[in-house]
Every structure is written in structure tokens, then in C-alpha cells.
Amino acid sequence: QVRLVESGGGLVQAGGSLRLSCAASGRTFSNYAVAWFRQTPGKDRELVAAISEFGGSTYYADSVKGRFTISRENAKNTLYLQMNDLKPEDTAVYSCAASRQRYDTGRFAALDMDYWGKGTLVTVSS
């Protein structure tokens, strides 16, 4: 029902910035709370940030708070993650995901998400 496609990943030096985008299909993007997750080999998938249906509420993992900003443009069916002051520890595959659950606190688990993109790789060099 919902198709998600990430873009914007790449290689960046520590301290640099990237903006990830997630394009959603259909006309019901605003029906879903959405989130960014990331995963590296040897680690569990980690919630990075989440945003409520109309963008009024956000959640950030402690590790990215103050550096990353999640936003959405529902008219464009697009989710963004602005990543500043990137660190080598941020290297991961970043995936966007949408949940049929209400936003509530925004602290989603991966199992809460109903639709997933394939991910985009972010590599931060030191």
C-alpha cells in the first residue's frame, strides 16, 4: 500500500552534513507517523528519529539529538533527515519506515513499523 524510497546517502567527512530523503507513494502520506532507523553490522536496528503525522511532534535518539533534524512535506509525500556534524559512529544503512500506529511518544520499535524502504548507505570517514 505504501512504497518508500530513500535517497541522499553517500560518503562524507566527519563534521560534514548530509540530507536524506524518503519519497512515499500514494496520497495518504499524512495518515502515517514515519521514522528513520539505522543499522550497522553487529548492531541491532536503531531508531534515529520519528515525526508525527502532520509534523507537530518529533523524537530523537540521544546519540543524534542536537545534530539531526527530521521533517516532512506531506504535500510532496516526502520525509527528510538533515544530518549535521556527522561522526564516524553515524555510519550505517539508513531506512525510512511508516507505521499505522498513532505517533504517541514517537519511540517506535522496528516491529511497530508496517512499511519500509530499502535503505541508503551513509559512510562517515574520520
Side-chain angles (χ1 to χ4, degrees), residues 6-63:
E6 303 94 339
S7 62
L11 175 65
V12 65
Q13 293 186 84
S17 298
L18 283 174
R19 188 177 77 159
L20 305 183
S21 298
C22 174
S25 66
R27 299 178 178 89
T28 58
F29 184 54
S30 63
N31 290 354
Y32 302 94
V34 287
W36 289 97
F37 289 80
R38 66 186 182 187
Q39 188 169 32
T40 57
K43 287 188 175 182
D44 291 338
R45 182 168 285 177
E46 175 189 16
L47 174 65
V48 177
I51 189 165
S52 59
E53 290 82 351
F54 290 93
S57 299
T58 56
Y59 167 86
Y60 296 95
D62 288 344
S63 58

Side-chain angles (χ1 to χ4, degrees), residues 38 46 48-49 60-69 90 94:
R38 66 186 182 187
E46 175 189 16
V48 177
Y60 296 95
D62 288 344
S63 58
V64 307
K65 200 172 297 180
R67 299 188 296 121
F68 291 11
T69 302
D90 296 318
Y94 285 72

Side-chain angles (χ1 to χ4, degrees), residues 10-18 83 86-87 91 122-126:
L11 175 65
V12 65
Q13 293 186 84
S17 298
L18 283 174
M83 305 185 294
L86 282 160
K87 304 177 185 298
T91 295
V122 172
T123 303
V124 184
S125 63
S126 59

Side-chain angles (χ1 to χ4, degrees), residues 48-113:
V48 177
I51 189 165
S52 59
E53 290 82 351
F54 290 93
S57 299
T58 56
Y59 167 86
Y60 296 95
D62 288 344
S63 58
V64 307
K65 200 172 297 180
R67 299 188 296 121
F68 291 11
T69 302
I70 188 170
S71 62
R72 65 193 297 168
E73 293 187 61
N74 288 344
K76 295 182 178 181
N77 286 359
T78 303
L79 171 73
Y80 302 99
L81 185 68
Q82 178 66 46
M83 305 185 294
N84 298 326
D85 191 25
L86 282 160
K87 304 177 185 298
E89 308 93 269
D90 296 318
T91 295
V93 174
Y94 285 72
S95 300
C96 61
S99 178
R100 293 186 296 225
Q101 297 182 34
R102 299 302 89 193
Y103 176 82
D104 196 13
T105 66
R107 202 176 75 83
F108 290 102
L111 289 174
D112 295 326
M113 314 311 289

